[in-house]
């Protein structure tokens, strides 16, 4: 519970997310699978295109995807939301067919594009969480990780936020089902790794993590400038560790 509270207080201050709504995990990849187990095969999903492979592959495994179409290399029952330079790598939801679930990843891997708050605050700052958007607690689940933020990719630590306000159409709280899945399929992140996570969220630890993130952001900026100086089109690298470069041909 200590880590859940620390995540809520450090990373979700002002959003209304509470410690009991945070499920500590062994990383985002694993929680994507557990989320798909919650959703089951009878839902239609939309994914960013391109996107991190786990969203599509888990859809295939749970039986949501339909058939692989030879011509396009895409699955018949998945809605692919084009994310390219022409739409600033942000899907146009007004033209996206309605689905039960939208997987939205920010910053997106591989495009390096981070969502901005322009729609609600007329600013280009990148939100830390979808729960900064009013009303999100009624419609969103957020999967997050210590992998990039604190270099825990091999150590394995993450979390998923399932708000109490999120309900099925019959009024049953989704958090109760997710709790059951987590308690059945996962026996918890080890005490050792949780202690590491708590250290990262302590006052000094958090400052040290932010310093390293700033260093990586500076590296991304150097890469962006180097590719741009070669005349190549470069995207991402701002509020994201990924840089997406267009190599003609
Ligand atoms: C978009 C995205 N989701 C999930 C993951 C998996 O992260 P984790 O190490 O927390 O499992 C990654 C890792 O690269 C990623 O880029």
């Amino acid at each position: 519970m200590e880590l859940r509270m620390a995540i809520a207080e450090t990373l979700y201050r002002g959003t209304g997310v509470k410690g009991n709504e945070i499920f500590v995990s062994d990383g985002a990849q694993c929680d994507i699978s557990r989320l798909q187990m919650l959703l089951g095969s009878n839902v239609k999903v939309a994914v960013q295109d391109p996107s991190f492979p786990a969203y599509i592959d888990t859809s295939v495994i749970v039986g949501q995807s339909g058939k692989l179409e030879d011509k396009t290399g895409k699955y018949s029952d998945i809605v692919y939301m084009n994310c390219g330079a022409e739409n600033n790598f942000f899907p146009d939801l007004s033209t996206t067919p309605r689905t039960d679930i939208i997987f939205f990843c920010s910053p997106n891997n591989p495009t390096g594009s981070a969502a901005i708050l322009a729609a609600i605050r007329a600013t280009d700052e990148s939100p830390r969480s979808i729960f900064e958007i009013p009303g999100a607690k009624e419609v969103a689940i957020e999967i997050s990780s210590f992998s990039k933020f604190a270099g825990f990719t091999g150590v394995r630590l993450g979390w998923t936020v399932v708000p109490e306000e999120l309900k099925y159409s019959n009024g049953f709280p989704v958090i109760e089902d997710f709790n059951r899945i987590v308690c059945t399929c996962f026996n918890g992140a080890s005490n050792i790794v949780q202690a590491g996570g708590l250290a990262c969220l302590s006052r000094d630890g958090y400052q040290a993590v932010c310093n390293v993130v700033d260093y990586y952001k500076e590296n991304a900026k150097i890469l962006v400038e180097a590719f741009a100086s070669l005349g190549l089109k470069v995207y991402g690298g701002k509020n994201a560790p990924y840089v997406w470069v267009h190599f003609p041909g």
Side-chain angles (χ1 to χ4, degrees):
M1 197 64 204
E2 202 184 340
L3 182 57
R4 301 171 89 177
M5 297 306 294
I7 292 172
E9 280 160 22
T10 315
L11 304 176
Y12 288 95
R13 188 168 301 160
T15 63
V17 170
K18 303 189 293 286
N20 68 304
E21 298 171 308
I22 295 171
F23 293 83
V24 170
S25 75
D26 49 348
Q29 177 104 341
C30 320
D31 263 354
I32 294 166
S33 301
R34 288 188 278 261
L35 177 65
Q36 289 282 28
M37 188 180 285
L38 174 91
L39 299 173
S41 57
N42 205 17
V43 299
K44 195 161 181 77
V45 302
V47 296
Q48 285 151 294
D49 185 22
S51 76
F52 185 67
Y55 303 105
I56 292 171
D57 291 345
T58 53
S59 294
V60 174
I61 290 167
V62 296
Q64 299 160 346
S65 65
K67 292 223 161 62
L68 181 64
E69 291 170 344
D70 287 343
K71 259 197 238 154
T72 57
K74 294 187 169 168
Y75 289 91
S76 58
D77 293 350
I78 290 180
V79 170
Y80 293 83
M81 303 182 294
N82 177 48
C83 293
E86 66 286 355
N87 61 3
N88 231 356
F89 299 93
F90 199 87
D92 180 357
L93 296 181
S94 67
T95 58
T96 302
R98 195 183 162 87
T99 59
D100 303 301
I101 302 293
I102 297 174
F103 284 116
F104 183 73
C105 186
S106 175
N108 193 21
N109 180 358
T111 63
S113 130
I116 54 168
L117 285 171
I120 51 169
R121 270 196 224 147
T123 129
D124 72 349
E125 74 190 85
S126 188
R128 183 186 290 283
S129 162
I130 197 165
F131 298 114
E132 289 181 30
I133 300 172
K137 287 190 93 185
E138 281 142 46
V139 295
I141 289 175
E142 181 165 271
I143 295 179
S144 212
S145 170
F146 280 74
S147 285
K148 308 292 190 295
F149 146 72
F152 271 45
T153 308
V155 182
R156 309 306 305 155
L157 189 65
W159 70 93
T160 289
V161 179
V162 185
E164 285 171 336
E165 289 88 333
L166 185 67
K167 309 260 170 71
Y168 296 108
S169 53
N170 66 2
F172 189 78
V174 176
I175 189 171
E176 290 197 25
D177 271 358
F178 196 70
N179 186 51
R180 187 169 184 188
I181 286 178
V182 169
C183 294
T184 307
C185 307
F186 178 56
N187 266 347
S190 72
N191 293 345
I192 295 170
V193 74
Q194 290 197 47
L198 276 170
C200 293
L201 298 176
S202 67
R203 207 184 53 148
D204 290 350
Y206 193 68
Q207 188 53 53
V209 165
C210 290
N211 292 346
V212 176
V213 169
D214 283 347
Y215 181 76
Y216 289 147
K217 281 166 110 174
E218 185 62 26
N219 282 351
K221 195 165 160 257
I222 292 167
L223 283 172
V224 167
E225 285 166 4
F227 285 120
S229 74
L230 296 172
L232 296 164
K233 284 206 173 101
V234 198
Y235 307 97
K238 197 180 163 206
N239 293 322
Y242 319 113
V243 174
W244 186 240
V245 188
H246 181 247
F247 290 95

